[in-house]
Amino acid sequence: MKVLLIGNGGREHALAWKLRQSPRISELYCAPGNGGISGEAECAPVDLKSLESIVRLAAQLKPDLTVVGPELPLQLGIVDEFTRHGWPVFGPTKAAAQLETSKSFAKEFMHRRRIPTSHYAICDSLGEFDHAIGRFSTPVVIKADGLAAGKGVVIAKTKDEAAATGAEMLSGKMLGEAGARVVIEECLKGDEISFLVLSDGERVAPLVAAQDHKRVGDGDTGPNTGGMGAYSTSQLLDQQMSNWLLQHVARPVIEGMKAEGMTYKGILYCGLMMTARGPMVLEFNCRFGDPETQPIMMRLESDLLEAIEASIEGRVSDGNFRWSQDASVCVVMASGGYPGTIEVGKKITGIEDADEVEGVKVFHAGTSVRDGAFYTSGGRVLGVTARAASLDNAADRAYEAASKIQFDGAHYRKDIGARALKK
Ligand code: AMP
Ligand code: GLY
């Protein structure tokens, strides 16, 4: 069959690499794709910000299935639009995707459905903000309501910093429309876990858990990013905790969304903080995580296509996935300046050598290809990902591979997975 994958990041490279292994896929397209994806799939140009452009491409290609990677097309209603045309598509509708696209929607939904999350206040004006902030102690978390590519969350250490952040977001200066509404949250402490489940609107099946590293610097220092690396091991979440999360988070979300007329199909990403008061939801994403998908796909032994079809056709069960007991680690190599202003167009060397390290696959995020050479084209450039029997061996392999890759300004964290190794 013919499959079209939408997106251009490291997540999409990992999905394309996995889908390519499906014996039932004869043609794989990725739109727009990137330099590395062009080795797994035929890349077709598309404007991810324009639903019209994606619809035009799909009308031309006539895929048997479309898999949507990033959140933006989901927010624009790609699933609703494709469904209207009768085209099979994987992911939630625009209404269901609000769990990610509006943090206030997600917070109010969790409150209604008694899903564990931090205390919060929703503010539409500076007056409301000034009034509400008094109820929180510092540090306090200030979030833009709308999509902000991982950059809409500020942990303010003082009330002054909180007030300045709130004012900047609400004025539209910081994030435009995304900040027109602001959510204030109690700051939670603990380990973060990304718990993803597959849903068909009624049933859920968990994927293996992963841990992202959001801050730019070693030891979780510096500003938040889209994610500087992730790892996945079977020790991250035991069976008992996984069952608890299914019962208290994942199933109540899927049942609640159905009961409220917004049936949720696709991947539901639950971002959790494991606090002393128990697990609490930090955020939902309505899609696979990036970079979590890279280590998660490295551990998937069964056919991803079968799982996606189970979601669309309403037959999700634990049998949709078979996982390796191995551990996996993804180290993101980023452009100089990321997550701030970056320079692109730098020549990348050493990818082939890195790919040759045992158990390693280099996933491309922001690369383009010209005359057989790769160049940087984004903030996160590569996700050097390794699999091995233990977490420390997987980390060693990933770092050995990363050391072989060079481009001007390249930087990466040296401690992906290190916190788990210390325990
Ligand atoms: P979000 O986009 O909501 O996941 O937030 C991005 C990151 O900010 C999370 O992965 C956490 O590291 C941090 N964060 C978000 N909400 C909170 C919170 N209530 N308490 C502490 N940290 C948070
Ligand atoms: N890794 C976090 C995200 O995908 O949003």
Side-chain angles (χ1 to χ4, degrees):
M1 66 193 267
K2 189 194 282 187
V3 174
L4 170 63
L5 173 64
I6 305 290
N8 59 356
R11 164 185 50 215
E12 286 75 25
H13 193 183
L15 293 173
W17 170 78
K18 196 66 213 171
L19 287 170
R20 255 292 284 272
Q21 295 167 20
S22 173
R24 292 177 40 227
I25 297 179
S26 50
E27 283 176 88
L28 181 60
Y29 289 87
C30 186
N34 63 35
I37 295 174
S38 63
E40 325 274 352
E42 186 161 333
C43 294
V46 82
D47 177 4
L48 285 177
K49 295 191 283 301
S50 157
L51 198 52
E52 214 189 322
S53 144
I54 302 174
V55 167
R56 218 178 307 126
L57 178 72
Q60 223 172 40
L61 290 176
K62 298 191 176 50
D64 301 299
L65 168 68
T66 299
V67 178
V68 187
E71 58 276 22
L72 188 58
L74 294 165
Q75 182 184 37
L76 295 175
I78 185 172
V79 170
D80 312 62
E81 186 66 17
F82 275 43
T83 305
R84 252 194 301 279
H85 284 91
W87 301 339
V89 57
F90 177 63
T93 59
K94 180 181 175 133
Q98 286 179 94
L99 281 176
E100 171 169 5
T101 60
S102 166
K103 291 193 189 285
S104 58
F105 173 91
K107 276 291 190 187
E108 288 178 327
F109 174 80
M110 285 189 270
H111 184 69
R112 284 197 295 281
R113 296 282 151 186
R114 301 195 193 302
I115 293 165
T117 190
S118 65
H119 297 298
Y120 69 97
I122 296 170
C123 314
D124 287 311
S125 68
L126 208 48
E128 282 175 23
F129 185 90
D130 288 342
H131 184 71
I133 196 76
R135 302 207 310 269
F136 293 83
S137 53
T138 51
V140 61
V141 183
I142 316 291
K143 295 185 178 180
D145 187 58
L147 291 181
K151 288 154 203 144
V153 177
V154 173
I155 299 179
K157 291 189 199 69
T158 62
K159 284 273 159 89
D160 284 349
E161 192 189 341
T165 306
E168 239 189 297
M169 282 186 184
L170 285 163
S171 72
K173 263 190 228 142
M174 198 166 154
L175 296 158
E177 259 307 292
R181 170 177 281 182
V182 159
V183 180
I184 307 175
E185 284 183 26
E186 163 200 18
C187 187
L188 300 173
K189 288 196 179 58
D191 276 338
E192 277 185 57
I193 285 197
S194 306
F195 180 67
L196 282 68
V197 299
L198 176 76
S199 175
D200 59 10
E202 288 187 21
R203 287 158 291 263
V204 296
L207 281 67
V208 288
Q211 189 172 64
D212 190 5
H213 294 61
K214 291 222 165 87
R215 302 294 197 92
V216 72
D218 287 354
D220 294 328
T221 52
N224 260 333
T225 68
M228 291 299 289
Y231 72 91
S232 175
T233 67
S234 45
Q235 285 83 46
L236 200 50
L237 204 61
D238 64 25
Q239 193 60 49
Q240 198 184 349
M241 184 53 84
S242 177
N243 289 341
W244 193 95
L245 293 173
L246 286 171
Q247 190 184 339
H248 296 274
V249 179
R251 286 199 197 102
V253 172
I254 299 304
E255 280 161 16
M257 290 298 280
K258 184 171 181 215
E260 297 187 15
M262 293 171 279
T263 298
Y264 191 102
K265 285 183 169 205
I267 292 288
L268 174 70
Y269 168 130
C270 311
L272 302 160
M273 189 74 95
M274 311 307 263
T275 76
R277 287 183 280 158
M280 302 221 174
V281 176
L282 294 175
E283 65 163 341
F284 292 117
N285 291 326
C286 57
R287 42 145 183 108
F288 284 103
D290 192 344
E292 291 93 330
T293 302
Q294 291 83 313
I296 290 176
M297 285 302 126
M298 287 291 264
R299 294 186 59 200
L300 179 60
E301 301 211 308
S302 51
D303 189 342
L304 176 61
L305 175 67
E306 304 275 338
I308 288 173
E309 287 179 330
S311 163
I312 294 175
E313 292 163 14
R315 44 182 181 77
V316 161
S317 77
D318 284 344
N320 296 140
F321 296 113
R322 199 176 62 254
W323 301 102
S324 158
Q325 290 304 303
D326 281 359
S328 52
V329 172
C330 169
V331 176
V332 169
M333 299 185 75
S335 290
Y338 179 77
T341 314
I342 54 157
E343 271 182 51
V344 297
K346 310 287 183 197
K347 188 168 183 175
I348 312 169
T349 58
I351 294 179
E352 272 179 27
D353 290 345
D355 257 325
E356 268 166 31
V357 176
E358 193 184 346
V360 166
K361 173 75 191 168
V362 179
F363 294 117
H364 294 226
T367 74
S368 59
V369 62
R370 205 168 60 235
D371 301 328
F374 292 111
Y375 294 84
T376 65
S377 66
R380 292 188 291 177
V381 176
L382 299 167
V384 182
T385 312
R387 178 177 147 174
S390 68
L391 181 60
D392 52 352
N393 284 344
D396 285 348
R397 286 175 173 180
Y399 281 111
E400 185 195 335
S403 74
K404 296 180 188 293
I405 298 176
Q406 255 127 34
F407 54 89
D408 225 23
H411 65 99
Y412 55 91
R413 278 182 65 161
K414 308 290 185 305
D415 64 344
I416 306 300
R419 197 133 51 103
L421 287 169
K422 264 190 237 132
K423 280 190 185 154

